[in-house]
Amino acid sequence: METFIAAKKVLKNPLFEQVRERTLTSLHANMIDVPIREIIDGLNHFSYCFTLQCCYGYFLYQGQDDPHNCLPLPDDTIFEKVEYRLAYIAFCIEDNVEGRALLTALKELVSVSSYIQFGSAQWFWDFQVNSYVLQVMPDTFKTQDRVLVDYDESRNIENARNTFFKALKNILN
């Protein structure tokens, strides 16, 4: 599935507050991967932002087929191929001074690693304007939500993912 397109321009959305309230009311902690719950809570704390979906980014390999595996890659075993499932946060921003400032800060996360992209996803935008995506994926696969890579590349992705979430947490603090 293709998930990533260039970021769209922020638009006025008079229904932002209503949609934000409805979305956050339906959000439950068990819907969020444990390693990023604090980050998602931080984004949703801002009155000018709310999250739509997120994923910590999963690695599946021989002997590890849990589709929601949040464990680090093992150091003691090298696998020929590892399936990586996209780490991302999809969020909506209000078109106001605070929202645009947060958007600017989030866009700058791409400087942390060449594996981080900022953009939009058309299918999010179709139901919620001003929705954006931050994701961790090798650039050559940025329009995909999963990829099969060799073990060394999976380690690079894991390092980028961990660095991304740490940098995002720093922005929120």
Side-chain angles (χ1 to χ4, degrees), residues 19-77:
V19 174
R20 180 180 183 279
E21 184 177 325
R22 184 176 63 234
T23 301
L24 294 181
T25 299
S26 66
L27 181 65
H28 303 287
N30 64 352
M31 301 166 82
I32 303 167
D33 293 327
V34 172
I36 58 173
R37 282 185 184 163
E38 185 179 335
I39 291 169
I40 300 306
D41 287 345
L43 284 168
N44 289 331
H45 179 75
F46 298 127
S47 63
Y48 43 86
C49 178
F50 64 93
T51 56
L52 298 165
Q53 280 187 6
C54 59
C55 181
Y56 181 60
Y58 311 125
F59 295 95
L60 285 74
Y61 44 85
Q62 184 179 352
Q64 177 53 268
D65 56 2
D66 176 3
H68 297 108
N69 172 35
C70 291
L71 297 173
L73 287 165
D75 289 328
D76 59 349
T77 307

Side-chain angles (χ1 to χ4, degrees), residues 12 40 70 113 152 166:
K12 291 290 180 196
I40 300 306
C70 291
S113 167
D152 288 339
K166 184 176 181 179

